Amino acid sequence: HTRYWRDWSSDVCSSDLVGGLLDKVADLDEQRRSMFANVAPLVPEAALTAIERALGGAAPDEAARNCATYVGLLRSLAFDAPRFERCASMIAMIARRDAEDSSNRTVKVFVSLFHLRYSGTHASIEERLPVIKTLLLSDDPNQRSLGLAALWGSLEALHFIALYDSEFGARLRDHGYWPSTEAEERHWFQAVLNLVEELACSEKACAPGVRSALAGQFRGIWTRGVILADLERVS
């Protein structure tokens, strides 16, 4: 009976999200937004596609404002590594206008996805860094600001707080990737430092900001003591 209900309810929810009651997610009223959030754990792929469809419409700025309410949902959908890039990119689209406001909720949610701990995602550092790099190499200053904020987050080594609920319907969740050995921590910071070195020593517009990010987080990484030689070399 449980399997029958799950399969039936998934079919119903999917039909609602494509041409049905919840199809145009950027234009839903409060009640239907709540319905959308409630069915998303049942059909995560359909929910993600519905938000993508809304943000890719003819009025992206208006859609970004209207879809800001789904930022928490997108963070939950980013839990699974295969969906991470799509979710992070959509949160970045929504956060772009407020990229320089570190206290903005959407910006804070975006940056949290790139923390070593309590990130809410099991995406590897290799799957996260391309999102940061794309933003840092953008011609849009707002996109670069968002990329720098994410880079600062990925270089954080000491201060981690669980700011967001890890629950997602009936799906079992934890707080995301969590390094269990010193070798895993070393791998994380070496990967980030490789990107820092590539961009900080370039002539790209983001280079000064990248250098500042490393300088700002240097003490914490040095205190961890896992990549001392790498820090010396890059510095």
Side-chain angles (χ1 to χ4, degrees):
H1 286 214
T2 301
R3 187 180 65 182
Y4 173 81
W5 164 251
R6 183 172 62 247
D7 294 342
W8 176 83
S9 59
S10 295
D11 290 341
V12 172
C13 294
S14 296
S15 65
D16 283 339
L17 292 174
V18 182
L21 182 67
L22 307 176
D23 179 54
K24 297 182 179 179
V25 297
D27 302 325
L28 299 181
D29 58 25
E30 184 176 352
Q31 182 180 23
R32 293 188 181 186
R33 287 174 188 266
S34 180
M35 291 171 61
F36 177 73
N38 287 331
V39 302
L42 286 171
V43 282
E45 185 62 30
L48 184 56
T49 300
I51 300 174
E52 279 180 325
R53 195 164 57 243
L55 290 172
D61 288 342
E62 181 181 355
R65 287 193 297 272
N66 292 340
C67 288
T69 188
Y70 302 126
V71 165
L73 173 58
L74 285 169
R75 187 179 190 275
S76 294
L77 291 169
F79 177 84
D80 298 308
R83 296 192 182 100
F84 174 80
E85 184 177 0
R86 293 164 66 194
C87 293
S89 297
M90 281 189 275
I91 297 175
M93 290 177 63
I94 297 170
R96 182 171 57 86
R97 295 171 60 90
D98 302 300
E100 295 185 0
D101 181 5
S102 60
S103 65
N104 180 269
R105 173 179 173 268
T106 304
V107 175
K108 291 171 71 174
V109 168
F110 180 75
V111 172
S112 75
L113 290 170
F114 299 91
H115 286 165
L116 176 63
R117 293 181 171 86
Y118 296 115
S119 65
T121 178
H122 279 275
S124 67
I125 186 59
E126 287 79 13
E127 291 169 310
R128 301 188 216 192
L129 287 178
V131 176
I132 297 178
K133 185 175 182 179
T134 297
L135 292 170
L136 289 174
L137 294 179
S138 173
D139 293 330
D140 183 346
N142 289 327
Q143 295 280 63
R144 291 200 300 273
S145 293
L146 201 58
L148 286 172
L151 183 64
W152 272 78
S154 67
L155 289 168
E156 179 59 60
L158 296 179
H159 306 294
F160 301 101
I161 303 175
L163 294 175
Y164 304 101
D165 192 349
S166 61
E167 293 184 2
F168 190 50
R171 294 178 181 270
L172 295 176
R173 291 290 176 85
D174 54 26
H175 287 290
Y177 170 73
W178 195 285
S180 57
T181 65
E182 184 177 295
E184 290 182 358
E185 282 197 28
R186 182 180 301 111
H187 174 75
W188 174 282
F189 286 114
Q190 283 178 332
V192 180
L193 201 59
N194 286 339
L195 177 62
V196 168
E197 182 177 13
E198 175 189 346
L199 297 178
C201 300
S202 72
E203 298 300 322
K204 303 294 184 182
C206 66
V210 172
R211 292 195 290 269
S212 293
L214 178 59
Q217 297 286 40
F218 186 96
R219 182 183 296 273
I221 303 173
W222 184 269
T223 301
R224 298 297 298 182
V226 294
I227 55 166
L228 299 181
D230 299 273
L231 280 173
E232 286 191 56
R233 178 182 56 78
V234 172
S235 297

